[in-house]
Amino acid sequence: GAVVSQHPSRVICKSGTSVKIECRSLDFQATTMFWYRQFPKQSLMLMATSNEGSKATYEQGVEKDKFLINHASLTLSTLTVTSAHPEDSSFYICSARYGGSDTQYFGPGTRLTVL
Amino acid sequence: AQSVTQLDSQVPVFEEAPVELRCNYSSSVSVYLFWYVQYPNQGLQLLLKYLSGSTLVKGINGFEAEFNKSQTSFHLRKPSVHISDTAEYFCAAFHPNTGNQFYFGTGTSLTVIP
């Protein structure tokens, strides 16, 4: 149980375009979802926390207008990287937690490459 | 501020040898502790977690960890490693009464040498 999927697993786009990444909890209702960014050989950096039906809470230094997060349902959150640039290239990982749970369940990640 | 420290960035070990990956946390309040494993180009998979009770926690793939409150440590151990254990390992802390955020260590890259 507690499976989280991400789509796409890998995306390559041109500079200036927008990219949407989906994160789904497949067998549970995720009251809270998290978006992380991971650079090569580094730990996960929390970008934002989103609760279903409310606005995401962004970490300091993360641009809200660039990384748009929507958590419209209890099983789906999306991260849209707007006007992507090469420096946005990274591994993006989502995780989900259901109410009262002590554990975050992670998706498999999305590799974004901006040319 | 809360923090999680993984003292070793890289740990090479021969196949079938024992291994210990170290993790220390800083917290003056109750904390839950986790170990996750990440294989190349994949997300994080939960290995084990400590919430309360017995300080020795057993997880998947033969791993175990011991919570030591006096030393604020939560080291991960395996008595005999396999090639397939080669991966990145992350220690994380979660404070149940202070919000949703997990605090991750910087990771330890375990390489099992045949």
Side-chain angles (χ1 to χ4, degrees):
Chain A
V3 179
V4 176
S5 70
Q6 274 183 249
H7 179 79
S9 59
R10 185 181 296 268
V11 57
I12 301 173
C13 68
K14 292 182 179 179
S15 185
T17 60
S18 294
V19 175
K20 180 184 284 188
I21 303 170
E22 291 186 350
C23 176
R24 294 181 185 273
S25 56
L26 299 185
D27 51 2
F28 66 99
Q29 292 186 326
T31 50
T32 307
M33 285 186 165
F34 307 84
W35 286 96
Y36 294 85
R37 185 173 178 176
Q38 186 180 32
F39 292 101
K41 304 294 184 183
Q42 295 188 28
S43 188
L44 282 71
M45 181 191 80
L46 180 64
M47 298 174 67
T49 302
S50 73
N51 293 297
E52 184 265 339
S54 61
K55 289 184 179 179
T57 301
Y58 289 80
E59 295 299 302
Q60 192 172 8
V62 178
E63 297 177 60
K64 300 179 183 181
D65 295 331
K66 181 163 190 62
F67 299 100
L68 301 178
I69 292 172
N70 183 277
H71 191 168
S73 77
L74 284 171
T75 58
L76 173 64
S77 175
T78 59
L79 167 68
T80 302
V81 183
T82 62
S83 186
H85 291 288
E87 58 265 29
D88 299 323
S89 297
S90 191
F91 194 53
Y92 292 87
I93 305 177
C94 74
S95 70
R97 191 166 76 103
Y98 55 87
S101 169
D102 47 68
T103 303
Q104 287 188 24
Y105 299 94
F106 287 82
T110 297
R111 173 76 59 194
L112 170 64
T113 303
V114 185
L115 302 177
Chain B
Q2 314 299 337
S3 70
V4 175
T5 303
Q6 290 182 245
L7 298 170
D8 308 298
S9 59
Q10 296 185 39
V11 173
V13 63
F14 286 104
E15 191 175 14
E16 297 184 4
V19 70
E20 178 180 83
L21 305 184
R22 297 182 291 171
C23 173
N24 288 86
Y25 66 93
S26 67
S27 176
S28 59
V29 298
S30 131
V31 62
Y32 297 162
L33 295 163
F34 302 78
W35 275 100
Y36 287 88
V37 60
Q38 184 181 34
Y39 298 101
N41 295 310
Q42 295 186 28
L44 275 67
Q45 179 183 0
L46 180 66
L47 273 179
L48 49 79
K49 60 184 177 183
Y50 170 78
L51 307 181
S52 65
S54 173
T55 57
L56 183 62
V57 180
K58 293 189 182 297
I60 63 172
N61 301 341
F63 283 94
E64 65 180 32
E66 186 159 17
F67 172 65
N68 188 316
K69 189 173 182 179
S70 62
Q71 297 185 8
T72 61
S73 68
F74 189 56
H75 301 334
L76 181 71
R77 302 186 184 99
K78 186 169 182 178
S80 175
V81 295
H82 300 135
I83 297 292
S84 58
D85 293 324
T86 295
E88 192 80 16
Y89 291 80
F90 291 96
C91 181
F94 170 62
H95 303 276
N97 300 320
T98 59
N100 289 311
Q101 187 169 354
F102 268 44
Y103 295 89
F104 282 92
T106 50
T108 297
S109 178
L110 173 64
T111 301
V112 180
I113 305 163

